[in-house]
Amino acid sequence: MNVILGTDGSGRRTPDPQLVDLVIQAKHWFAGLSTGKYDSLSEVARRVSLDKSYVSRVITLAFLAPDILEKIITGDHSHLLTQERLRKACPLPLRWEDQRALLPV
């Protein structure tokens, strides 16, 4: 009997909801800043009851390389990529090549 961790039973991996939520949160914050819903990172932090330094680091996830984002959404990433590891990697470098080198995808 083979046991495959992190799958939905069909052999496909399932997305990690914590990772997906973290990226969605960052994209939501950036969209709010872009559209004027929020005037500043300070306002984002105040409205979501988080520290501004946390928000300013995590918001860089809104600029994840498309292939990394797809792997997170589909669950097709390394088991080493956890929410904690992704948060600790923030602020992410803007260059996608540097993100790929930094993150275990």
Side-chain angles (χ1 to χ4, degrees):
M1 175 180 182
N2 291 333
V3 177
I4 302 172
L5 298 176
T7 68
D8 64 3
S10 68
R12 292 185 315 240
R13 293 185 54 109
T14 55
D16 178 336
Q18 293 179 323
L19 274 175
V20 173
D21 287 347
L22 190 61
V23 173
I24 288 171
Q25 185 178 52
K27 288 192 170 284
H28 175 76
W29 294 341
F30 182 74
L33 285 167
S34 298
T35 62
K37 178 179 178 181
Y38 305 122
D39 292 330
S40 65
L41 286 174
S42 296
E43 183 179 355
V44 174
R46 186 174 34 77
R47 285 208 191 167
V48 296
S49 301
L50 292 170
D51 185 71
K52 180 185 170 191
S53 67
Y54 175 83
V55 171
S56 67
R57 287 189 318 271
V58 171
I59 201 167
T60 62
L61 293 174
F63 305 101
L64 269 173
D67 57 308
I68 297 173
L69 179 59
E70 182 176 343
K71 287 179 180 188
I72 289 172
I73 291 171
T74 62
D76 190 30
H77 56 82
S78 166
H79 70 281
L80 298 174
L81 185 60
T82 62
Q83 179 196 34
E84 181 179 351
R85 188 158 188 181
L86 188 57
R87 269 191 296 108
K88 286 182 178 181
C90 292
L92 287 178
L94 291 179
R95 289 176 30 107
W96 292 343
E97 296 82 15
D98 296 339
Q99 292 177 11
R100 291 181 193 107
L102 178 66
L103 298 172
V105 291

